Amino acid sequence: MRFQATKISGVFIVESELIRDERGFFARLCCPVEMKAAGIEFEPKQTSISHNSKHGTLRGLHYCTVPEAKLVRCVRGRVFDVAVDLRPNSPSHRQWVGTELDPERANAMYIPSGVAHGFLTLEPDSEVLYQIDRIYVPGFDAGVRWNDPAFAIDWPAQPIVIHPRDEAYPLLE
């Protein structure tokens, strides 16, 4: 596994090494030992999947009000994945980073606690796999608006499908 730091402290693009042959490929998607060697303390406790039937579906920007880190990857289709730093004392506070995730590259984004996450599907029937370092407990979900001018995220396309909850999240200021 290779870990590429981003401009947001603690956010990494994780590239799995693909072992290819005539059958296709094999890849290690998460290895806590290798992550720890790269300075990332991450032990997944829950795995979830998001199926998005339409291209142009936007989910986010979500975060948790209790500490929660996640490793996010697209296992079907393609998505533009975004992380926004909401940590008030971070040097990259309010900055964002985005990358395209797809199964052919087997890449992922590691998102530490205090950083919001969202994505826009670039193909229909896109699926996003989440490995999370805590068990889900209702009541700690939160979010900020996907199009908040405080972040000025350069989404690759205008969203077509947005859940009313995501559309109604407050602006940061």
Side-chain angles (χ1 to χ4, degrees):
M1 299 176 75
R2 293 179 301 275
F3 303 92
Q4 177 187 353
T6 68
K7 67 181 180 181
I8 298 177
S9 175
V11 174
F12 290 86
I13 305 302
V14 180
E15 299 173 348
S16 295
E17 295 179 43
L18 304 178
I19 301 167
R20 295 184 183 272
D21 63 22
E22 66 278 355
R23 299 167 294 175
F25 71 79
F26 178 86
R28 192 166 353 131
L29 300 181
C30 181
C31 178
V33 172
E34 286 190 43
M35 294 180 85
K36 187 172 185 169
I40 303 167
E41 295 287 337
F42 183 69
E43 292 277 345
K45 293 191 174 51
Q46 180 174 304
T47 302
S48 301
I49 193 164
S50 162
H51 176 81
N52 306 275
S53 56
K54 297 180 181 176
H55 84 279
T57 298
L58 186 131
R59 289 189 186 243
L61 298 164
H62 304 144
Y63 66 95
C64 193
T65 59
V66 295
E68 176 184 270
K70 55 190 146 203
L71 183 64
V72 179
R73 72 179 57 253
C74 182
V75 294
R76 182 178 178 193
R78 281 183 317 124
V79 302
F80 182 71
D81 204 57
V82 172
V84 177
D85 193 347
L86 298 179
R87 301 168 292 188
N89 297 322
S90 170
S92 54
H93 179 63
R94 295 190 183 186
Q95 292 183 30
W96 68 276
V97 64
T99 193
E100 191 173 304
L101 301 178
D102 70 67
E104 286 302 309
R105 290 186 287 179
N107 58 346
M109 187 181 295
Y110 173 75
I111 301 151
S113 183
V115 175
H117 171 255
F119 64 85
L120 178 69
T121 62
L122 303 175
E123 293 182 5
D125 293 319
S126 291
E127 294 181 349
V128 176
L129 185 77
Y130 297 76
Q131 292 178 283
I132 306 161
D133 72 348
R134 69 175 196 86
I135 303 299
Y136 176 75
V137 177
F140 297 106
D141 304 330
V144 290
R145 188 96 50 87
W146 66 276
N147 59 353
D148 191 324
F151 311 132
I153 297 170
D154 185 16
W155 295 98
Q158 186 68 21
I160 297 168
V161 179
I162 305 174
H163 191 278
R165 178 192 65 179
D166 291 349
E167 190 68 57
Y169 279 132
L171 297 174
L172 193 62
E173 297 179 337

